[in-house]
Amino acid sequence: MNRRYRKTIIAGNWKMNKNPAETKEFITQLKPHAARAKWCETVLCVPFIDIPAAVKAAKNTRVFIAAQNMHHESSGAYTGEVSGEMLVSLGVKYVVIGHSERRQYFGETEDTVSQKVRAALACGLRPIVCVGESMSQREKNLTLDYVRMQIKTVFWDVDPKDVKKVVVAYEPIWAIGTGKTATAQQADEVGRAIRECIREIYGARHARSVTILYGGSMNPKNAKELLAMPDVDGGLIGGASLQCDDFVQILDAADQ
Ligand code: 13P
């Protein structure tokens, strides 16, 4: 973390879990803890149907609500899709883009990710964009090349004034939901390469303003060590964000 230049963010990604009543209960429990956090912004990435309940429960707190996906057009004949403008109208502040589960199960590509990033920024949402390698890419020593390619696509045509609004989440695919965490050194090495790539495109001032999260089996036990690294500015947490107690322990680790 480096609080001088960029925000620390702890974001829970609930994936396809919890209904509106459970959402309200969770946020009621979380509220006093989030209010205590001095340095760290708390974000909850909830299913679409939970957004109204989440925004209502989080009103006047320091908890921000994110969607887990959006469509790049603002409206039109796209059955089953939700646009960024619709999310903004509900009070959503962040949106996850290009999670590896969306790439793996729903056909998202570098191209759709890039379109969605620009669409999110255009309507005032902060994108949390996921990048990360598979185990076979890591074994072939392709991690840094692959992630650099992803970062170049993510930032393609992004205006310099918007760079600091983009949050990058480094989520190695092999660490998601597997209980296998990247070591703090591995997470930091890729975080550093991501920042270096942004620096090559936009320069040092912009690069140091970008928050880079780590995601992949982050939990109350390993959070402190990961968050101590200079290029790990927070976490995108799946499984361990479903229990408020676990999530609060991670939040506390980030706020020290
Ligand atoms: P887990 O924390 O369950 O490994 O999930 C990480 C993730 O995919 C967050 O977006």
Side-chain angles (χ1 to χ4, degrees), residues 11-253:
N13 177 11
W14 286 355
K15 308 190 180 184
M16 198 171 70
N17 291 290
K18 296 196 190 292
N19 62 29
E22 291 162 338
T23 300
K24 184 178 169 199
E25 193 187 322
F26 185 101
I27 296 177
T28 307
Q29 225 184 316
L30 174 66
K31 261 190 325 203
H33 302 281
R36 253 192 1 234
K38 279 203 220 46
W39 308 103
C40 181
E41 196 158 295
T42 310
V43 176
L44 288 177
C45 315
V46 306
F48 288 135
I49 61 135
D50 295 330
I51 290 173
V55 170
K56 190 169 171 210
K59 199 163 176 228
N60 298 327
T61 71
R62 298 179 53 201
V63 179
F64 296 89
I65 304 306
Q68 299 174 8
N69 180 34
M70 60 173 267
H71 193 272
H72 65 272
E73 293 288 352
S74 43
S75 61
Y78 301 101
T79 302
E81 292 291 312
V82 170
S83 74
E85 280 79 356
M86 291 169 171
L87 297 173
V88 169
S89 77
L90 289 179
V92 169
K93 299 285 185 235
Y94 289 84
V95 59
V96 179
I97 307 258
H99 191 280
S100 65
E101 286 149 17
R102 301 238 27 112
R103 297 177 192 248
Q104 183 180 353
Y105 304 124
F106 304 100
E108 297 211 10
T109 62
E110 301 307 333
D111 230 34
T112 59
V113 170
S114 159
Q115 272 178 321
K116 289 180 182 196
V117 168
R118 276 173 288 136
L121 290 168
C123 67
L125 289 168
R126 292 193 65 183
I128 302 175
V129 198
C130 303
V131 299
E133 82 288 359
S134 64
M135 185 44 108
S136 89
Q137 286 168 321
R138 176 159 283 272
E139 282 167 356
K140 292 183 192 127
N141 213 13
L142 293 172
T143 300
L144 297 186
D145 285 344
Y146 182 66
V147 171
R148 284 175 60 88
M149 178 280 290
Q150 290 187 305
I151 290 296
K152 284 183 192 158
T153 335
V154 165
F155 283 94
W156 187 79
D157 217 17
V158 168
D159 194 278
K161 73 169 178 7
D162 288 334
V163 171
K164 68 168 186 292
K165 296 179 194 154
V166 179
V167 177
V168 177
Y170 166 54
E171 298 212 315
I173 297 166
W174 49 270
I176 296 176
T178 57
K180 276 189 216 156
T181 318
T183 63
Q185 288 70 25
Q186 285 170 329
D188 193 53
E189 182 193 26
V190 181
R192 197 162 55 242
I194 290 170
R195 199 175 308 286
E196 174 61 23
C197 187
I198 301 171
R199 191 187 65 76
E200 285 163 18
I201 311 170
Y202 294 101
R205 189 168 58 87
H206 289 300
R208 65 177 179 241
S209 69
V210 176
T211 295
I212 301 175
L213 311 180
Y214 167 78
S217 301
M218 192 186 260
N219 60 42
K221 286 204 177 74
N222 59 29
K224 195 166 178 214
E225 194 188 349
L226 285 157
L227 293 166
M229 305 310 281
D231 284 307
V232 177
D233 305 312
L236 183 56
I237 299 120
S241 73
L242 294 173
Q243 297 295 332
C244 195
D245 290 350
D246 290 345
F247 189 60
V248 165
Q249 284 184 51
I250 299 173
L251 193 59
D252 287 344

